[in-house]
PDB file of all heavy atoms in Angstrom:
ATOM      1  N   ASP Q   1    -130.175 -24.664  19.750  1.00  0.00           N
ATOM      2  CA  ASP Q   1    -130.803 -24.791  21.057  1.00  0.00           C
ATOM      3  C   ASP Q   1    -129.891 -25.641  21.935  1.00  0.00           C
ATOM      4  O   ASP Q   1    -129.712 -26.837  21.701  1.00  0.00           O
ATOM      5  CB  ASP Q   1    -132.177 -25.432  20.913  1.00  0.00           C
ATOM      6  CG  ASP Q   1    -132.993 -25.358  22.196  1.00  0.00           C
ATOM      7  OD1 ASP Q   1    -132.419 -25.644  23.268  1.00  0.00           O
ATOM      8  OD2 ASP Q   1    -134.190 -25.034  22.130  1.00  0.00           O
ATOM      9  N   LEU Q   2    -129.306 -25.012  22.954  1.00  0.00           N
ATOM     10  CA  LEU Q   2    -128.343 -25.701  23.808  1.00  0.00           C
ATOM     11  C   LEU Q   2    -128.988 -26.829  24.595  1.00  0.00           C
ATOM     12  O   LEU Q   2    -128.330 -27.830  24.928  1.00  0.00           O
ATOM     13  CB  LEU Q   2    -127.674 -24.688  24.739  1.00  0.00           C
ATOM     14  CG  LEU Q   2    -126.679 -23.768  24.014  1.00  0.00           C
ATOM     15  CD1 LEU Q   2    -126.580 -22.421  24.694  1.00  0.00           C
ATOM     16  CD2 LEU Q   2    -125.312 -24.418  23.936  1.00  0.00           C
ATOM     17  N   TYR Q   3    -130.260 -26.709  24.895  1.00  0.00           N
ATOM     18  CA  TYR Q   3    -130.999 -27.786  25.563  1.00  0.00           C
ATOM     19  C   TYR Q   3    -131.019 -29.034  24.698  1.00  0.00           C
ATOM     20  O   TYR Q   3    -130.666 -30.137  25.143  1.00  0.00           O
ATOM     21  CB  TYR Q   3    -132.411 -27.294  25.879  1.00  0.00           C
ATOM     22  CG  TYR Q   3    -133.400 -28.378  26.231  1.00  0.00           C
ATOM     23  CD1 TYR Q   3    -133.456 -28.915  27.516  1.00  0.00           C
ATOM     24  CD2 TYR Q   3    -134.298 -28.844  25.274  1.00  0.00           C
ATOM     25  CE1 TYR Q   3    -134.381 -29.896  27.836  1.00  0.00           C
ATOM     26  CE2 TYR Q   3    -135.227 -29.828  25.587  1.00  0.00           C
ATOM     27  CZ  TYR Q   3    -135.266 -30.357  26.859  1.00  0.00           C
ATOM     28  OH  TYR Q   3    -136.178 -31.340  27.180  1.00  0.00           O
ATOM     29  N   HIS Q   4    -131.420 -28.897  23.453  1.00  0.00           N
ATOM     30  CA  HIS Q   4    -131.454 -30.054  22.555  1.00  0.00           C
ATOM     31  C   HIS Q   4    -130.057 -30.626  22.333  1.00  0.00           C
ATOM     32  O   HIS Q   4    -129.867 -31.851  22.320  1.00  0.00           O
ATOM     33  CB  HIS Q   4    -132.073 -29.658  21.212  1.00  0.00           C
ATOM     34  CG  HIS Q   4    -133.527 -29.336  21.286  1.00  0.00           C
ATOM     35  ND1 HIS Q   4    -134.458 -30.191  21.801  1.00  0.00           N
ATOM     36  CD2 HIS Q   4    -134.210 -28.219  20.903  1.00  0.00           C
ATOM     37  CE1 HIS Q   4    -135.666 -29.643  21.733  1.00  0.00           C
ATOM     38  NE2 HIS Q   4    -135.526 -28.445  21.193  1.00  0.00           N
ATOM     39  N   CYS Q   5    -129.086 -29.754  22.164  1.00  0.00           N
ATOM     40  CA  CYS Q   5    -127.721 -30.216  21.894  1.00  0.00           C
ATOM     41  C   CYS Q   5    -127.168 -31.005  23.079  1.00  0.00           C
ATOM     42  O   CYS Q   5    -126.498 -32.029  22.893  1.00  0.00           O
ATOM     43  CB  CYS Q   5    -126.821 -29.029  21.578  1.00  0.00           C
ATOM     44  SG  CYS Q   5    -125.142 -29.486  21.070  1.00  0.00           S
ATOM     45  N   GLN Q   6    -127.434 -30.566  24.298  1.00  0.00           N
ATOM     46  CA  GLN Q   6    -126.950 -31.289  25.467  1.00  0.00           C
ATOM     47  C   GLN Q   6    -127.532 -32.697  25.516  1.00  0.00           C
ATOM     48  O   GLN Q   6    -126.827 -33.670  25.826  1.00  0.00           O
ATOM     49  CB  GLN Q   6    -127.293 -30.517  26.733  1.00  0.00           C
ATOM     50  CG  GLN Q   6    -127.030 -31.267  28.036  1.00  0.00           C
ATOM     51  CD  GLN Q   6    -125.557 -31.504  28.315  1.00  0.00           C
ATOM     52  OE1 GLN Q   6    -124.693 -31.067  27.559  1.00  0.00           O
ATOM     53  NE2 GLN Q   6    -125.278 -32.210  29.394  1.00  0.00           N
ATOM     54  N   ILE Q   7    -128.799 -32.841  25.219  1.00  0.00           N
ATOM     55  CA  ILE Q   7    -129.452 -34.142  25.276  1.00  0.00           C
ATOM     56  C   ILE Q   7    -128.920 -35.077  24.191  1.00  0.00           C
ATOM     57  O   ILE Q   7    -128.675 -36.263  24.431  1.00  0.00           O
ATOM     58  CB  ILE Q   7    -130.977 -33.981  25.157  1.00  0.00           C
ATOM     59  CG1 ILE Q   7    -131.519 -33.293  26.419  1.00  0.00           C
ATOM     60  CG2 ILE Q   7    -131.674 -35.320  24.944  1.00  0.00           C
ATOM     61  CD1 ILE Q   7    -132.964 -32.882  26.341  1.00  0.00           C
ATOM     62  N   VAL Q   8    -128.670 -34.551  23.003  1.00  0.00           N
ATOM     63  CA  VAL Q   8    -128.256 -35.398  21.882  1.00  0.00           C
ATOM     64  C   VAL Q   8    -126.774 -35.706  21.914  1.00  0.00           C
ATOM     65  O   VAL Q   8    -126.364 -36.858  21.708  1.00  0.00           O
ATOM     66  CB  VAL Q   8    -128.629 -34.726  20.542  1.00  0.00           C
ATOM     67  CG1 VAL Q   8    -128.098 -35.546  19.362  1.00  0.00           C
ATOM     68  CG2 VAL Q   8    -130.131 -34.567  20.430  1.00  0.00           C
ATOM     69  N   GLU Q   9    -125.940 -34.692  22.187  1.00  0.00           N
ATOM     70  CA  GLU Q   9    -124.507 -34.916  22.015  1.00  0.00           C
ATOM     71  C   GLU Q   9    -123.603 -34.268  23.046  1.00  0.00           C
ATOM     72  O   GLU Q   9    -122.412 -34.613  23.127  1.00  0.00           O
ATOM     73  CB  GLU Q   9    -124.078 -34.483  20.610  1.00  0.00           C
ATOM     74  CG  GLU Q   9    -124.525 -33.091  20.191  1.00  0.00           C
ATOM     75  CD  GLU Q   9    -124.444 -32.898  18.676  1.00  0.00           C
ATOM     76  OE1 GLU Q   9    -123.361 -33.096  18.096  1.00  0.00           O
ATOM     77  OE2 GLU Q   9    -125.493 -32.559  18.074  1.00  0.00           O
ATOM     78  N   GLY Q  10    -124.096 -33.341  23.856  1.00  0.00           N
ATOM     79  CA  GLY Q  10    -123.251 -32.731  24.872  1.00  0.00           C
ATOM     80  C   GLY Q  10    -122.114 -31.917  24.278  1.00  0.00           C
ATOM     81  O   GLY Q  10    -122.215 -31.388  23.182  1.00  0.00           O
ATOM     82  N   ASP Q  11    -120.993 -31.820  25.045  1.00  0.00           N
ATOM     83  CA  ASP Q  11    -119.800 -31.088  24.604  1.00  0.00           C
ATOM     84  C   ASP Q  11    -120.205 -29.716  24.072  1.00  0.00           C
ATOM     85  O   ASP Q  11    -119.839 -29.302  22.969  1.00  0.00           O
ATOM     86  CB  ASP Q  11    -119.057 -31.893  23.531  1.00  0.00           C
ATOM     87  CG  ASP Q  11    -117.597 -31.478  23.382  1.00  0.00           C
ATOM     88  OD1 ASP Q  11    -117.100 -30.738  24.263  1.00  0.00           O
ATOM     89  OD2 ASP Q  11    -116.963 -31.877  22.397  1.00  0.00           O
ATOM     90  N   LEU Q  12    -120.938 -28.964  24.887  1.00  0.00           N
ATOM     91  CA  LEU Q  12    -121.650 -27.789  24.403  1.00  0.00           C
ATOM     92  C   LEU Q  12    -120.736 -26.675  23.916  1.00  0.00           C
ATOM     93  O   LEU Q  12    -121.004 -26.066  22.872  1.00  0.00           O
ATOM     94  CB  LEU Q  12    -122.581 -27.262  25.502  1.00  0.00           C
ATOM     95  CG  LEU Q  12    -123.767 -28.169  25.826  1.00  0.00           C
ATOM     96  CD1 LEU Q  12    -124.589 -27.573  26.961  1.00  0.00           C
ATOM     97  CD2 LEU Q  12    -124.640 -28.388  24.598  1.00  0.00           C
ATOM     98  N   ILE Q  13    -119.673 -26.383  24.631  1.00  0.00           N
ATOM     99  CA  ILE Q  13    -118.815 -25.279  24.199  1.00  0.00           C
ATOM    100  C   ILE Q  13    -118.148 -25.608  22.875  1.00  0.00           C
ATOM    101  O   ILE Q  13    -118.092 -24.764  21.971  1.00  0.00           O
ATOM    102  CB  ILE Q  13    -117.793 -24.920  25.293  1.00  0.00           C
ATOM    103  CG1 ILE Q  13    -118.500 -24.142  26.414  1.00  0.00           C
ATOM    104  CG2 ILE Q  13    -116.644 -24.077  24.719  1.00  0.00           C
ATOM    105  CD1 ILE Q  13    -117.605 -23.676  27.538  1.00  0.00           C
ATOM    106  N   ARG Q  14    -117.658 -26.817  22.714  1.00  0.00           N
ATOM    107  CA  ARG Q  14    -117.025 -27.184  21.443  1.00  0.00           C
ATOM    108  C   ARG Q  14    -118.050 -27.210  20.308  1.00  0.00           C
ATOM    109  O   ARG Q  14    -117.759 -26.777  19.184  1.00  0.00           O
ATOM    110  CB  ARG Q  14    -116.323 -28.538  21.575  1.00  0.00           C
ATOM    111  CG  ARG Q  14    -115.115 -28.502  22.497  1.00  0.00           C
ATOM    112  CD  ARG Q  14    -113.979 -27.655  21.915  1.00  0.00           C
ATOM    113  NE  ARG Q  14    -112.856 -27.538  22.828  1.00  0.00           N
ATOM    114  CZ  ARG Q  14    -112.612 -26.482  23.602  1.00  0.00           C
ATOM    115  NH1 ARG Q  14    -113.412 -25.438  23.565  1.00  0.00           N
ATOM    116  NH2 ARG Q  14    -111.561 -26.477  24.405  1.00  0.00           N
ATOM    117  N   ASN Q  15    -119.241 -27.703  20.574  1.00  0.00           N
ATOM    118  CA  ASN Q  15    -120.282 -27.680  19.551  1.00  0.00           C
ATOM    119  C   ASN Q  15    -120.670 -26.245  19.202  1.00  0.00           C
ATOM    120  O   ASN Q  15    -120.906 -25.922  18.030  1.00  0.00           O
ATOM    121  CB  ASN Q  15    -121.507 -28.459  20.021  1.00  0.00           C
ATOM    122  CG  ASN Q  15    -121.480 -29.910  19.590  1.00  0.00           C
ATOM    123  OD1 ASN Q  15    -121.451 -30.203  18.399  1.00  0.00           O
ATOM    124  ND2 ASN Q  15    -121.479 -30.815  20.549  1.00  0.00           N
ATOM    125  N   LEU Q  16    -120.728 -25.395  20.205  1.00  0.00           N
ATOM    126  CA  LEU Q  16    -121.054 -23.989  19.966  1.00  0.00           C
ATOM    127  C   LEU Q  16    -119.980 -23.322  19.115  1.00  0.00           C
ATOM    128  O   LEU Q  16    -120.289 -22.573  18.171  1.00  0.00           O
ATOM    129  CB  LEU Q  16    -121.206 -23.272  21.298  1.00  0.00           C
ATOM    130  CG  LEU Q  16    -121.719 -21.834  21.285  1.00  0.00           C
ATOM    131  CD1 LEU Q  16    -123.109 -21.763  20.687  1.00  0.00           C
ATOM    132  CD2 LEU Q  16    -121.708 -21.273  22.705  1.00  0.00           C
ATOM    133  N   GLU Q  17    -118.737 -23.599  19.407  1.00  0.00           N
ATOM    134  CA  GLU Q  17    -117.643 -23.013  18.636  1.00  0.00           C
ATOM    135  C   GLU Q  17    -117.673 -23.488  17.190  1.00  0.00           C
ATOM    136  O   GLU Q  17    -117.458 -22.708  16.250  1.00  0.00           O
ATOM    137  CB  GLU Q  17    -116.309 -23.367  19.287  1.00  0.00           C
ATOM    138  CG  GLU Q  17    -116.078 -22.665  20.617  1.00  0.00           C
ATOM    139  CD  GLU Q  17    -114.877 -23.207  21.376  1.00  0.00           C
ATOM    140  OE1 GLU Q  17    -114.413 -24.330  21.062  1.00  0.00           O
ATOM    141  OE2 GLU Q  17    -114.397 -22.509  22.288  1.00  0.00           O
ATOM    142  N   ALA Q  18    -117.931 -24.793  16.996  1.00  0.00           N
ATOM    143  CA  ALA Q  18    -117.982 -25.329  15.635  1.00  0.00           C
ATOM    144  C   ALA Q  18    -119.151 -24.748  14.846  1.00  0.00           C
ATOM    145  O   ALA Q  18    -119.043 -24.516  13.630  1.00  0.00           O
ATOM    146  CB  ALA Q  18    -118.087 -26.853  15.681  1.00  0.00           C
ATOM    147  N   GLN Q  19    -120.260 -24.484  15.521  1.00  0.00           N
ATOM    148  CA  GLN Q  19    -121.457 -24.002  14.839  1.00  0.00           C
ATOM    149  C   GLN Q  19    -121.490 -22.489  14.707  1.00  0.00           C
ATOM    150  O   GLN Q  19    -122.275 -21.944  13.927  1.00  0.00           O
ATOM    151  CB  GLN Q  19    -122.691 -24.471  15.622  1.00  0.00           C
ATOM    152  CG  GLN Q  19    -123.981 -24.533  14.831  1.00  0.00           C
ATOM    153  CD  GLN Q  19    -123.970 -25.610  13.780  1.00  0.00           C
ATOM    154  OE1 GLN Q  19    -123.225 -25.501  12.790  1.00  0.00           O
ATOM    155  NE2 GLN Q  19    -124.755 -26.649  13.973  1.00  0.00           N
ATOM    156  N   PHE Q  20    -120.599 -21.805  15.410  1.00  0.00           N
ATOM    157  CA  PHE Q  20    -120.703 -20.353  15.494  1.00  0.00           C
ATOM    158  C   PHE Q  20    -120.767 -19.656  14.131  1.00  0.00           C
ATOM    159  O   PHE Q  20    -121.570 -18.735  13.945  1.00  0.00           O
ATOM    160  CB  PHE Q  20    -119.565 -19.766  16.329  1.00  0.00           C
ATOM    161  CG  PHE Q  20    -119.687 -18.279  16.507  1.00  0.00           C
ATOM    162  CD1 PHE Q  20    -120.627 -17.750  17.375  1.00  0.00           C
ATOM    163  CD2 PHE Q  20    -118.900 -17.407  15.772  1.00  0.00           C
ATOM    164  CE1 PHE Q  20    -120.782 -16.375  17.513  1.00  0.00           C
ATOM    165  CE2 PHE Q  20    -119.042 -16.041  15.908  1.00  0.00           C
ATOM    166  CZ  PHE Q  20    -119.990 -15.517  16.786  1.00  0.00           C
ATOM    167  N   PRO Q  21    -119.950 -20.043  13.146  1.00  0.00           N
ATOM    168  CA  PRO Q  21    -120.036 -19.337  11.853  1.00  0.00           C
ATOM    169  C   PRO Q  21    -121.393 -19.477  11.167  1.00  0.00           C
ATOM    170  O   PRO Q  21    -121.693 -18.728  10.227  1.00  0.00           O
ATOM    171  CB  PRO Q  21    -118.939 -20.009  11.020  1.00  0.00           C
ATOM    172  CG  PRO Q  21    -118.012 -20.611  12.007  1.00  0.00           C
ATOM    173  CD  PRO Q  21    -118.872 -21.045  13.143  1.00  0.00           C
ATOM    174  N   HIS Q  22    -122.207 -20.409  11.642  1.00  0.00           N
ATOM    175  CA  HIS Q  22    -123.483 -20.692  10.993  1.00  0.00           C
ATOM    176  C   HIS Q  22    -124.679 -20.296  11.848  1.00  0.00           C
ATOM    177  O   HIS Q  22    -125.819 -20.558  11.467  1.00  0.00           O
ATOM    178  CB  HIS Q  22    -123.574 -22.189  10.684  1.00  0.00           C
ATOM    179  CG  HIS Q  22    -122.344 -22.751  10.052  1.00  0.00           C
ATOM    180  ND1 HIS Q  22    -121.998 -22.497   8.737  1.00  0.00           N
ATOM    181  CD2 HIS Q  22    -121.350 -23.536  10.560  1.00  0.00           C
ATOM    182  CE1 HIS Q  22    -120.840 -23.106   8.469  1.00  0.00           C
ATOM    183  NE2 HIS Q  22    -120.438 -23.732   9.548  1.00  0.00           N
ATOM    184  N   LEU Q  23    -124.431 -19.659  12.991  1.00  0.00           N
ATOM    185  CA  LEU Q  23    -125.513 -19.353  13.924  1.00  0.00           C
ATOM    186  C   LEU Q  23    -126.450 -18.275  13.397  1.00  0.00           C
ATOM    187  O   LEU Q  23    -126.013 -17.238  12.914  1.00  0.00           O
ATOM    188  CB  LEU Q  23    -124.955 -18.878  15.267  1.00  0.00           C
ATOM    189  CG  LEU Q  23    -124.363 -19.905  16.225  1.00  0.00           C
ATOM    190  CD1 LEU Q  23    -124.060 -19.234  17.557  1.00  0.00           C
ATOM    191  CD2 LEU Q  23    -125.268 -21.093  16.417  1.00  0.00           C
ATOM    192  N   GLY Q  24    -127.747 -18.531  13.551  1.00  0.00           N
ATOM    193  CA  GLY Q  24    -128.734 -17.507  13.279  1.00  0.00           C
ATOM    194  C   GLY Q  24    -129.546 -17.140  14.500  1.00  0.00           C
ATOM    195  O   GLY Q  24    -130.155 -16.072  14.541  1.00  0.00           O
ATOM    196  N   HIS Q  25    -129.547 -18.042  15.488  1.00  0.00           N
ATOM    197  CA  HIS Q  25    -130.323 -17.815  16.703  1.00  0.00           C
ATOM    198  C   HIS Q  25    -129.882 -18.846  17.732  1.00  0.00           C
ATOM    199  O   HIS Q  25    -129.421 -19.937  17.371  1.00  0.00           O
ATOM    200  CB  HIS Q  25    -131.823 -17.956  16.422  1.00  0.00           C
ATOM    201  CG  HIS Q  25    -132.723 -17.515  17.539  1.00  0.00           C
ATOM    202  ND1 HIS Q  25    -132.742 -16.228  18.011  1.00  0.00           N
ATOM    203  CD2 HIS Q  25    -133.639 -18.197  18.285  1.00  0.00           C
ATOM    204  CE1 HIS Q  25    -133.643 -16.127  18.989  1.00  0.00           C
ATOM    205  NE2 HIS Q  25    -134.182 -17.313  19.181  1.00  0.00           N
ATOM    206  N   VAL Q  26    -130.034 -18.508  19.013  1.00  0.00           N
ATOM    207  CA  VAL Q  26    -129.660 -19.401  20.109  1.00  0.00           C
ATOM    208  C   VAL Q  26    -130.831 -19.481  21.083  1.00  0.00           C
ATOM    209  O   VAL Q  26    -131.533 -18.480  21.308  1.00  0.00           O
ATOM    210  CB  VAL Q  26    -128.398 -18.886  20.839  1.00  0.00           C
ATOM    211  CG1 VAL Q  26    -128.080 -19.737  22.064  1.00  0.00           C
ATOM    212  CG2 VAL Q  26    -127.203 -18.869  19.885  1.00  0.00           C
ATOM    213  N   GLN Q  27    -131.039 -20.679  21.639  1.00  0.00           N
ATOM    214  CA  GLN Q  27    -132.065 -20.863  22.656  1.00  0.00           C
ATOM    215  C   GLN Q  27    -131.496 -21.651  23.835  1.00  0.00           C
ATOM    216  O   GLN Q  27    -130.547 -22.425  23.672  1.00  0.00           O
ATOM    217  CB  GLN Q  27    -133.285 -21.592  22.076  1.00  0.00           C
ATOM    218  CG  GLN Q  27    -134.047 -20.750  21.054  1.00  0.00           C
ATOM    219  CD  GLN Q  27    -135.155 -21.520  20.372  1.00  0.00           C
ATOM    220  OE1 GLN Q  27    -135.014 -22.691  20.059  1.00  0.00           O
ATOM    221  NE2 GLN Q  27    -136.267 -20.837  20.113  1.00  0.00           N
ATOM    222  N   ILE Q  28    -132.106 -21.454  25.011  1.00  0.00           N
ATOM    223  CA  ILE Q  28    -131.600 -22.079  26.224  1.00  0.00           C
ATOM    224  C   ILE Q  28    -132.745 -22.616  27.075  1.00  0.00           C
ATOM    225  O   ILE Q  28    -133.882 -22.131  27.002  1.00  0.00           O
ATOM    226  CB  ILE Q  28    -130.749 -21.101  27.067  1.00  0.00           C
ATOM    227  CG1 ILE Q  28    -131.560 -19.865  27.465  1.00  0.00           C
ATOM    228  CG2 ILE Q  28    -129.499 -20.688  26.304  1.00  0.00           C
ATOM    229  CD1 ILE Q  28    -130.813 -18.908  28.390  1.00  0.00           C
ATOM    230  N   ALA Q  29    -132.416 -23.628  27.876  1.00  0.00           N
ATOM    231  CA  ALA Q  29    -133.314 -24.182  28.882  1.00  0.00           C
ATOM    232  C   ALA Q  29    -132.503 -25.121  29.751  1.00  0.00           C
ATOM    233  O   ALA Q  29    -131.491 -25.680  29.317  1.00  0.00           O
ATOM    234  CB  ALA Q  29    -134.485 -24.931  28.244  1.00  0.00           C
ATOM    235  N   GLY Q  30    -132.959 -25.320  30.989  1.00  0.00           N
ATOM    236  CA  GLY Q  30    -132.304 -26.266  31.867  1.00  0.00           C
ATOM    237  C   GLY Q  30    -132.486 -27.698  31.391  1.00  0.00           C
ATOM    238  O   GLY Q  30    -133.484 -28.041  30.754  1.00  0.00           O
ATOM    239  N   VAL Q  31    -131.509 -28.532  31.689  1.00  0.00           N
ATOM    240  CA  VAL Q  31    -131.532 -29.950  31.310  1.00  0.00           C
ATOM    241  C   VAL Q  31    -131.444 -30.766  32.596  1.00  0.00           C
ATOM    242  O   VAL Q  31    -130.603 -30.467  33.450  1.00  0.00           O
ATOM    243  CB  VAL Q  31    -130.341 -30.281  30.382  1.00  0.00           C
ATOM    244  CG1 VAL Q  31    -130.381 -31.748  29.952  1.00  0.00           C
ATOM    245  CG2 VAL Q  31    -130.310 -29.366  29.156  1.00  0.00           C
ATOM    246  N   PRO Q  32    -132.289 -31.805  32.782  1.00  0.00           N
ATOM    247  CA  PRO Q  32    -133.133 -32.437  31.767  1.00  0.00           C
ATOM    248  C   PRO Q  32    -134.596 -31.998  31.748  1.00  0.00           C
ATOM    249  O   PRO Q  32    -135.345 -32.422  30.851  1.00  0.00           O
ATOM    250  CB  PRO Q  32    -133.051 -33.911  32.161  1.00  0.00           C
ATOM    251  CG  PRO Q  32    -132.997 -33.881  33.650  1.00  0.00           C
ATOM    252  CD  PRO Q  32    -132.176 -32.655  33.991  1.00  0.00           C
ATOM    253  N   GLU Q  33    -135.060 -31.212  32.709  1.00  0.00           N
ATOM    254  CA  GLU Q  33    -136.500 -30.978  32.853  1.00  0.00           C
ATOM    255  C   GLU Q  33    -137.034 -29.823  32.014  1.00  0.00           C
ATOM    256  O   GLU Q  33    -138.225 -29.564  32.004  1.00  0.00           O
ATOM    257  CB  GLU Q  33    -136.845 -30.733  34.328  1.00  0.00           C
ATOM    258  CG  GLU Q  33    -136.453 -31.878  35.256  1.00  0.00           C
ATOM    259  CD  GLU Q  33    -137.167 -33.176  34.931  1.00  0.00           C
ATOM    260  OE1 GLU Q  33    -138.248 -33.127  34.305  1.00  0.00           O
ATOM    261  OE2 GLU Q  33    -136.636 -34.240  35.304  1.00  0.00           O
ATOM    262  N   ARG Q  34    -136.167 -29.107  31.351  1.00  0.00           N
ATOM    263  CA  ARG Q  34    -136.531 -27.941  30.533  1.00  0.00           C
ATOM    264  C   ARG Q  34    -137.164 -26.828  31.365  1.00  0.00           C
ATOM    265  O   ARG Q  34    -138.069 -26.126  30.904  1.00  0.00           O
ATOM    266  CB  ARG Q  34    -137.433 -28.327  29.359  1.00  0.00           C
ATOM    267  CG  ARG Q  34    -137.297 -27.355  28.181  1.00  0.00           C
ATOM    268  CD  ARG Q  34    -137.973 -27.839  26.929  1.00  0.00           C
ATOM    269  NE  ARG Q  34    -137.582 -27.027  25.789  1.00  0.00           N
ATOM    270  CZ  ARG Q  34    -137.948 -27.273  24.545  1.00  0.00           C
ATOM    271  NH1 ARG Q  34    -138.730 -28.291  24.259  1.00  0.00           N
ATOM    272  NH2 ARG Q  34    -137.542 -26.484  23.562  1.00  0.00           N
ATOM    273  N   HIS Q  35    -136.642 -26.674  32.588  1.00  0.00           N
ATOM    274  CA  HIS Q  35    -137.053 -25.563  33.431  1.00  0.00           C
ATOM    275  C   HIS Q  35    -136.040 -24.418  33.277  1.00  0.00           C
ATOM    276  O   HIS Q  35    -135.321 -24.341  32.275  1.00  0.00           O
ATOM    277  CB  HIS Q  35    -137.154 -26.022  34.892  1.00  0.00           C
ATOM    278  CG  HIS Q  35    -138.287 -26.970  35.143  1.00  0.00           C
ATOM    279  ND1 HIS Q  35    -139.522 -26.852  34.543  1.00  0.00           N
ATOM    280  CD2 HIS Q  35    -138.367 -28.068  35.950  1.00  0.00           C
ATOM    281  CE1 HIS Q  35    -140.314 -27.806  34.962  1.00  0.00           C
ATOM    282  NE2 HIS Q  35    -139.646 -28.568  35.815  1.00  0.00           N
ATOM    283  N   GLU Q  36    -135.975 -23.532  34.271  1.00  0.00           N
ATOM    284  CA  GLU Q  36    -135.080 -22.379  34.218  1.00  0.00           C
ATOM    285  C   GLU Q  36    -133.636 -22.804  33.956  1.00  0.00           C
ATOM    286  O   GLU Q  36    -133.213 -23.901  34.377  1.00  0.00           O
ATOM    287  CB  GLU Q  36    -135.151 -21.616  35.543  1.00  0.00           C
ATOM    288  CG  GLU Q  36    -136.376 -20.737  35.684  1.00  0.00           C
ATOM    289  CD  GLU Q  36    -137.644 -21.464  36.102  1.00  0.00           C
ATOM    290  OE1 GLU Q  36    -137.632 -22.716  36.182  1.00  0.00           O
ATOM    291  OE2 GLU Q  36    -138.662 -20.799  36.330  1.00  0.00           O
ATOM    292  N   PRO Q  37    -132.871 -21.971  33.266  1.00  0.00           N
ATOM    293  CA  PRO Q  37    -131.490 -22.333  32.921  1.00  0.00           C
ATOM    294  C   PRO Q  37    -130.564 -22.529  34.120  1.00  0.00           C
ATOM    295  O   PRO Q  37    -129.486 -23.118  33.948  1.00  0.00           O
ATOM    296  CB  PRO Q  37    -131.023 -21.156  32.049  1.00  0.00           C
ATOM    297  CG  PRO Q  37    -132.276 -20.590  31.479  1.00  0.00           C
ATOM    298  CD  PRO Q  37    -133.295 -20.742  32.570  1.00  0.00           C
ATOM    299  N   ASP Q  38    -130.938 -22.038  35.291  1.00  0.00           N
ATOM    300  CA  ASP Q  38    -130.091 -22.273  36.462  1.00  0.00           C
ATOM    301  C   ASP Q  38    -130.462 -23.558  37.199  1.00  0.00           C
ATOM    302  O   ASP Q  38    -129.941 -23.838  38.279  1.00  0.00           O
ATOM    303  CB  ASP Q  38    -130.133 -21.085  37.425  1.00  0.00           C
ATOM    304  CG  ASP Q  38    -131.528 -20.784  37.954  1.00  0.00           C
ATOM    305  OD1 ASP Q  38    -132.523 -21.286  37.380  1.00  0.00           O
ATOM    306  OD2 ASP Q  38    -131.631 -20.029  38.937  1.00  0.00           O
TER     307      ASP Q  38
END
């Protein structure tokens, strides 16, 4: 969940790349209010 990852540690593209071999599902939301992704 990119929303959770941004709040905890950021660096989303690098975290996504590192986690990619282990991905089973992805989720999105705007940060910080958890509204629309835009």
